Every structure is written in structure tokens, then in C-alpha cells.
Amino acid sequence: MPNANEDNPSALSQVQRRAVSELLRVSPVADDLARRFQEAGFSLALVGGSVRDALLGRLGNDLDFTTDARPDDVLKIVRPWADAVWEVGIAFGTVGVQKDARVDDVQQSFQIEITTYRSEAYDRTSRKPEVAYGDSIEEDLVRRDFTVNAMAVALPEKEFVDPYGGLDDLSARVLRTPGTPEESFSDDPLRMMRAARFAAQLDFEVAPDVVAAMTDMAGRIEIVSAERVRDELNKLVLSAHPRKGLTLLVDTGLADHVLPELPALRLERDEHHRHKDVYDHTLIVLEQAMALEENGPDLTLRIAALLHDIGKPRTRRFENDGRVSFHHHEVVGAKMTKKRMAALKYSNDLVKDVSRLVELHLRFHGYGTGEWTDSAVRRYVRDAGPLLDRLHKLTRSDCTTRNKRKATALSHAYDGLEKRIAELQEQEELDAIRPDLDGNQIMEILGIGPGPAIGQAYKFMLELRLENGPMEHDAAVTALKEWWAEQG
């Protein structure tokens, strides 16, 4: 690749070495594909995020290409070559391809997207972009979101194409738009959220003119579909530096349109930390929850951490003694969580899990500092169900006090709870708590058929099991009969 940054040749040479190494790794696939396009009379270039990631030394097996071939021509070229072809995005000029190849004596699978040179813009009343095909790579690159994503490598000759200074911006770790940010965000308002997402993923700064345009045009995000907004928010939350992206969303006013519950927290005070607003507390909880993750980013845990206190603005009360209280904010917050996540088109299962964690996040504090009874531990485990491990993490993360003595006491208390849970689980198989008598046994003992009374009896036996632990069969039968007699 030719030198595109004469002012800093040493920095460029390092970047080039990384890029060449990455490109050589994928060249058996990329060059083979490029030759096929060349033989058919078309151009092909690696583009966008793939070039950016190659320059950063983190290119994976998802490869993006751009071409002057129209989608029908692309299909003719790739069908004899690919292991699988997808036409889901063909209306927008994109053909998806899977290609399995042996690289460095290792069998690998490459996920490839090939998109015809294009330009796209939103109508002010439309949620979908209008697509127009272009004839030059420069025309294609100028429509892209940021300069660091507006670079290409023409194949198979590996000529570096960088008409908008993306390499300089990559070196400076800054996000700028190829044209004016106003034009870019008018073309696709979701790019404003992408700015926040890339800042969070790459730990880049956003150029002042881009931030200003995001602030001025924040309301334009309303025309973007909830699904696209949700997907960008997920990528941001799952990034290495979500605080950076979330702060940008809040500061520019974008969060007012996509997650208004978050900026609302800036005005509140946490009852446990009177000198720390709930917004800052929430971001700390999110980062502390991330530190407890064991198997990579956990979307359920992270969203729960982000939303766990959103019920506080609606429940704030100023007490006579000068304190501020937020009674039942976890219950209100759980309802608000369901509503917001449903509006963002999250799956029912994820909505259920996150709202349940929000509802339960104060349960540990509700038991007080005294010795926990076995029944309290059983109910805690029963109510958390499969979310117990995440609830442990969320509860521990919710302690953001700077008082080391208090923080240590809370940590030790929760250590004690987890130890008690482990002991009881070993004794009783807590994960699958059931009454000592099942529905069929209850019907047989009481001599009645299916109906509401059986459900009431089952609930009574479950409460008895939670309160007292496992019972002998005869004792369970006696207790059931006594309860039934009391029902009249």
C-alpha cells in the first residue's frame, strides 16, 4: 500500500505492517474472489470496518467488500464460488456469502458481504433509506458514516484508497465524517448513535463539529426504526467502554429520544449516597457489573445494571427529617423497564429477565443486617430462579459507597448469603424447590378433582416447604389435611 501519511512515516509504517499482516492472512479468500470479479470486468475492494480493523490489527473473518458490479452480476460471480449465498440485503445492494477455506493449514469460515457502490438518503418522513447505485469508489466512500470507515483496499493489487483522511483520524483516534456531519446524519440519522457506539467500542473521541451536529439533530433519530436503534444500543452497551458512549448519548440529547429514563437520573439523589447523583451511580454500577463478568459481555446483566434505578425519579419523596427516599422504586422501575424494552422491540425473554433483576435488586437489603433464616434464603433463591448468579453480580455492583468500612461490611454480608445458599443447595437442591406433595397426590389425599382448590393447596404446600424445608411424607399429609379442614 502506498504511503498515505508522509508527515508521520514511522507511525504509518507500523500501521502498514499490521494491515499487511492481516490482509495476507485473508488474501487466499479475498484475492481469489477479486480475481473472479476482475475476470468478469468488475472492480472489488475491501472496505469500511474491515480496512479499519486491519489497520488496528484486529481483522476477523467477517469481511466487507464494495464493487461496481450490480447485485445481479455479483450473484452470477459468487454462486459458483461460495459455499452459501444470502440475498436478504439485495434490495439495498448487498449480497451475503459464506466461504470456507484453508488458511495457514487451518480450516476457516468467512462471512462476506459484497455491496454495490451506492449512495443512500432518508426522506424526512421515511424509516427506510432510498438506494441509488454509484460508479466510483470515491463516490461510495463519501457516503459512509466516518472517515475511519471510509477507507478501502483495491484488490487484488492491494492499492490503499483513502480520499478523506481516514488514516490520519485513525492515528489520532478521532471520529469525523467524510462530508459535513449534517449531511451525513441527514442521510441516515442512526449514524449519530453509531458515533456513540464507535466511541465506546474503539475508545475514540468524537470531533467537536460532529458532537454539535448530533446535539442539533438529535430529534431526527425519531424516524429510525426501533429495531435499528436497539441493535446500536446493544453494541454500545456490550462494548469495552460503554460509559463513554452513554455519556455522549446523554450529553447530546439523543438519549432523551431513545432511552429517556437514563438522563432523567441526573436530577436525582441516591438515598444511600447523598452526594452522588443516581446517573453517575448507575454508570459506576454498570462498570462494576462488567468487572464481575466471567464469560464475556452479558447483555442481560449490563442492561439490568443500566436500568436498575430508573424508578427513582417517580418515587422520590422529601422526608420531614431532610432525607430523600425512593420507596418501592424497584417495583416501579421493573414496570418502566418492561415498557421501555418493549418499545425498543427486545425479545419477551430478555424483557422478562431484565425487569425481574430490576425488581429484585434491593431484596438483599430488605432482609436487614441480622441473621438470615433458612426460609428467607429459600425464597431469595426461588424468586431469582435461573437469574440468581446475575442477581449476585448486580447486588454486589450496586454498592458504590466510598466508605470503605461500609463497603466491606456489605461485601462480607453478601459473602455470608452466598455461603448460606451454597450450604442449603447442597442439602436441599434449592434450584428445584417443589412442595413435598405434588398436584396428583394432593387430589388423591383430599379426594377432589382438578380446580382452583388444588392450586390453592399447592401454593400452601409450597409456602410450607419454603418456610420449614423438606418434610416427611406423613407430616406433609397431616399439614395438608389440617389446612383443608380450616378451609371449611
Side-chain angles (χ1 to χ4, degrees), residues 377-453:
V377 175
R378 293 187 194 101
R379 292 176 196 280
Y380 192 79
V381 174
R382 189 273 309 269
D383 291 346
L387 297 171
L388 181 62
D389 185 59
R390 288 188 174 107
L391 183 58
H392 288 334
K393 292 180 172 66
L394 179 60
T395 303
R396 287 184 179 278
S397 302
D398 197 25
C399 176
T400 61
T401 179
R402 294 177 183 175
N403 183 323
K404 291 185 178 180
R405 185 172 57 82
K406 184 176 181 181
T408 300
L410 283 170
S411 179
H412 285 168
Y414 209 86
D415 288 343
L417 169 60
E418 290 201 47
K419 183 179 179 182
R420 292 288 306 287
I421 289 172
E423 291 170 349
L424 279 172
Q425 281 177 324
E426 186 175 343
Q427 295 169 21
E428 306 178 12
E429 298 183 358
L430 271 186
D431 290 336
I433 288 180
R434 297 289 186 274
D436 294 288
L437 301 172
D438 62 27
N440 290 328
Q441 290 172 311
I442 290 171
M443 285 190 287
E444 182 180 346
I445 292 166
L446 299 182
I448 59 176

Side-chain angles (χ1 to χ4, degrees), residues 268-278 281 312 398-403 406 410:
E268 307 308 322
R269 295 287 173 182
D270 185 297
E271 76 272 32
H272 299 302
H273 317 90
R274 297 178 186 177
H275 303 294
K276 185 185 300 177
D277 71 49
V278 181
H281 163 75
K312 283 187 172 178
D398 197 25
C399 176
T400 61
T401 179
R402 294 177 183 175
N403 183 323
K406 184 176 181 181
L410 283 170

Side-chain angles (χ1 to χ4, degrees), residues 349-369:
D349 286 344
L350 190 61
V351 173
K352 180 181 177 182
D353 287 349
V354 173
S355 58
R356 186 62 168 158
L357 285 169
V358 171
E359 182 181 1
L360 293 175
H361 83 272
L362 280 188
R363 182 71 65 87
F364 166 70
H365 300 285
Y367 284 119
T369 56

Side-chain angles (χ1 to χ4, degrees), residues 298-312:
D298 183 340
L299 185 64
T300 304
L301 176 63
R302 292 193 184 192
I303 297 180
L306 188 61
L307 302 181
H308 78 284
D309 273 349
I310 63 172
K312 283 187 172 178

Side-chain angles (χ1 to χ4, degrees), residues 75-230:
L75 287 172
K76 291 177 185 176
I77 295 169
V78 300
R79 277 195 170 126
W81 176 80
D83 292 294
V85 176
W86 293 275
E87 300 181 35
V88 176
I90 200 164
F92 302 103
T94 299
V95 174
V97 168
Q98 178 186 322
K99 179 65 176 178
D100 298 330
R102 197 163 189 82
V103 177
D104 295 330
D105 291 327
V106 178
Q107 190 69 15
Q108 300 184 35
S109 181
F110 291 85
Q111 304 301 314
I112 295 168
E113 286 193 350
I114 306 165
T115 303
T116 302
Y117 297 159
R118 67 187 188 188
S119 60
E120 61 186 30
Y122 270 85
D123 180 273
R124 285 198 169 272
T125 61
S126 173
R127 290 179 180 269
K128 295 183 178 179
E130 298 174 358
V131 174
Y133 296 130
D135 295 309
S136 74
I137 193 167
E138 289 78 14
E139 182 183 8
D140 180 80
L141 294 177
V142 75
R143 72 158 187 92
R144 295 185 177 260
D145 50 9
F146 304 105
T147 59
V148 296
N149 296 329
M151 298 178 284
V153 177
L155 299 171
E157 59 272 21
K158 295 186 175 59
E159 178 186 349
F160 187 52
V161 183
D162 181 24
Y164 304 106
L167 188 58
D168 288 335
D169 289 339
L170 192 69
S171 178
R173 304 179 67 81
V174 65
L175 292 172
R176 288 190 309 108
T177 53
T180 69
E182 290 79 10
E183 289 172 338
S184 182
F185 299 154
S186 289
D187 284 349
D188 185 352
L190 188 67
R191 289 173 176 173
M192 295 184 286
M193 287 198 66
R194 285 168 65 85
R197 188 250 288 187
F198 282 125
Q201 284 183 329
L202 303 173
D203 196 19
F204 279 20
E205 299 303 320
V206 181
D209 63 327
V210 176
V211 175
M214 291 168 67
T215 304
D216 292 342
M217 301 176 68
R220 285 276 283 149
I221 198 70
E222 296 280 356
I223 73 166
V224 180
S225 70
E227 291 85 353
R228 295 183 75 210
V229 169
R230 174 203 64 207

